[in-house]
């Protein structure tokens, strides 16, 4: 009986890891016959777990949505993975940190001692990265509305907000009618949420900052999914020069024209920067840092011709940094004249 109960729990765990299992494959994983597998499936059903199966010799099995969440069975690796995910969850969604802490506490209470010991051994402290920006967390209702349209494949009507997230009113110079979007993918990059969509009005692919959208009432209108403009949607967002971004709030903010394609610069530019495509393998990069020397150092990493550097403080920092590196190349060096330049 103990072996049967353990196998039933293992079966439940396997069903939770895939959308659908083939009967022979599932039986092989459990080390049982197909007849025993069918008996274990009936045991799960008797416990209230909704398992859907297809008929025939090569039946398939999957968990169906049920009114009651079935019990979760986690092994050590899964428990540690969930623990780390909850502890390092991004704080880009309003209220997520508190919800993650409560979820972690709930898991810890029901874990057996050996799993809890593994989780306790992976306690971590997250520290804001140098490039983390100071945007306010996104409203979870907005993420849910856009995500639901993506999942269902429904047309999304949304207004584009100003950088400060205010809504332009009709008659104001920057007012635009709501966009009609076919949302295909949600992408989280550099702590910001983006939606890759096909804009019916512009008849082209666009990338919108989700926190800059104000979704209107759900349309319920389905759309036929189009082939994406890139095989890797994450890379498409990273390398796209126009993501609806504005520079993050920094103590120093500057810009320069780089002799590189916008896609290349957009791929490697820090989060919170803006890349403007100027054509002919040129682009303008707008970015910030805690010092002018910091911006100058980032520009140097692109290893290309740099021009139209603004403002004057950034030009001075470039000159000062050049002098420092020249001195460093001779093996002499000298203390910087202004560490905060």
């Amino acid at each position: 009986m103990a072996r049967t109960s353990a196998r039933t729990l293992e079966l439940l765990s396997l069903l939770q890891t895939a959308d659908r299992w083939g009967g022979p494959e599932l039986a092989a994983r459990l080390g049982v016959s197909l007849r025993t597998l069918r008996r274990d499936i009936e045991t799960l059903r008797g416990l209230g777990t909704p398992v859907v199966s297809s008929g025939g010799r090569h039946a398939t099995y999957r968990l169906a949505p049920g009114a009651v969440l079935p019990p979760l069975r986690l092994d050590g690796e899964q428990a540690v993975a969930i623990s780390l995910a909850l502890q390092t969850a991004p704080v880009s969604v309003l209220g997520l940190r508190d919800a993650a802490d409560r979820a972690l506490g709930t898991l810890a209470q029901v874990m057996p001692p050996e799993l809890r010991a593994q989780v306790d051994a992976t306690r971590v402290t997250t520290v804001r990265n140098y490039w983390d920006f100071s945007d306010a967390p996104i409203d979870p209702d907005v993420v849910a509305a856009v995500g639901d349209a993506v999942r269902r494949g429904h047309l999304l009507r949304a207004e584009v907000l100003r950088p400060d997230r205010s809504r332009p009113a009709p008659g104001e110079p920057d007012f635009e009618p709501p966009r009609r979007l076919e949302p295909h993918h949600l992408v989280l990059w550099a702590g910001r949420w983006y939606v890759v969509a096909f804009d019916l009005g512009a008849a082209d692919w666009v990338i919108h900052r989700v926190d800059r959208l104000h979704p209107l009432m759900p349309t319920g209108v389905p759309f036929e999914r189009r082939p994406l403009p890139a095989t890797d949607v994450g890379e498409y967002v990273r390398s796209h020069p126009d993501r609806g971004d504005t520079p993050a709030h920094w103590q120093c903010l500057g810009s320069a024209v780089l002799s590189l394609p916008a896609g290349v610069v957009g791929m490697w530019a820090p989060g919170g920067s803006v890349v403007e495509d100027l054509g002919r393998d040129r682009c303008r990069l707008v970015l910030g840092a805690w010092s002018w020397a910091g911006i100058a150092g980032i520009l140097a990493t692109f290893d290309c011709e740099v021009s139209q550097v603004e403002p004057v403080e950034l030009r001075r920092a470039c000159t000062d940094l050049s002098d420092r590196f020249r001195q460093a190349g001779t093996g002499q060096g000298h203390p910087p004249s202004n560490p905060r330049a």
Side-chain angles (χ1 to χ4, degrees), residues 253-257 284-287 295 299 307-311 314:
L253 186 68
S255 67
V257 172
R284 178 176 285 103
L285 175 63
V286 183
L287 75 165
I295 301 178
L299 294 177
S307 61
Q308 301 182 33
V309 178
E310 297 292 344
L314 180 55

Side-chain angles (χ1 to χ4, degrees), residues 51-259:
V51 182
V52 177
S53 60
S54 64
R57 176 177 175 81
H58 301 289
T60 61
Y61 301 92
R62 65 180 178 86
L63 285 180
V68 179
L69 182 68
L72 296 177
R73 176 179 168 84
L74 304 176
D75 58 29
E77 291 182 348
Q78 290 173 321
V80 170
I82 292 176
S83 169
L84 289 175
L86 289 172
Q87 292 181 73
T88 60
V91 292
S92 59
V93 179
L94 190 65
L96 180 62
R97 180 70 275 158
D98 179 64
D101 288 341
R102 287 188 284 109
L104 186 60
T106 300
L107 281 175
Q109 288 180 4
V110 298
M111 283 180 182
E114 63 274 12
L115 284 189
R116 186 164 187 174
Q118 288 182 265
V119 169
D120 288 342
T122 56
R123 293 286 180 178
V124 297
T125 299
T126 56
V127 180
R128 284 183 64 86
N129 186 276
Y130 174 75
W131 288 114
D132 284 349
F133 38 81
S134 57
D135 287 346
I138 191 172
D139 186 337
D141 291 338
V142 175
V143 177
V146 176
D148 188 64
V150 172
R151 180 179 63 86
R152 296 177 182 274
H154 285 177
L155 193 69
L156 175 69
R157 292 182 68 249
E159 298 175 356
V160 178
L161 305 179
R162 298 186 177 106
D164 63 1
R165 300 185 184 179
S166 61
R167 296 174 63 185
E172 294 182 335
D174 56 348
F175 175 79
E176 296 181 3
R179 305 288 179 92
R180 297 170 61 245
L181 306 172
E182 295 176 353
H184 283 255
H185 279 277
L186 273 178
V187 177
L188 178 62
W189 178 60
R192 288 175 171 174
W193 291 84
Y194 300 90
V195 59
V196 177
F198 190 85
D199 189 316
L200 295 178
D204 198 5
W205 288 95
V206 294
I207 300 174
H208 282 291
R209 283 269 300 273
V210 176
D211 63 328
R212 303 280 174 78
L213 292 179
H214 177 73
L216 303 180
M217 291 293 294
T219 66
V221 178
F223 64 86
E224 185 176 349
R225 296 191 178 276
R226 306 170 186 261
L228 291 171
T231 56
D232 188 330
V233 68
E235 198 68 15
Y236 178 67
V237 170
R238 283 213 317 154
S239 61
H240 203 282
D242 184 8
R243 296 184 293 262
D245 281 327
T246 55
H249 301 292
W250 289 100
Q251 179 174 320
C252 302
L253 186 68
S255 67
V257 172
L258 308 181
S259 58

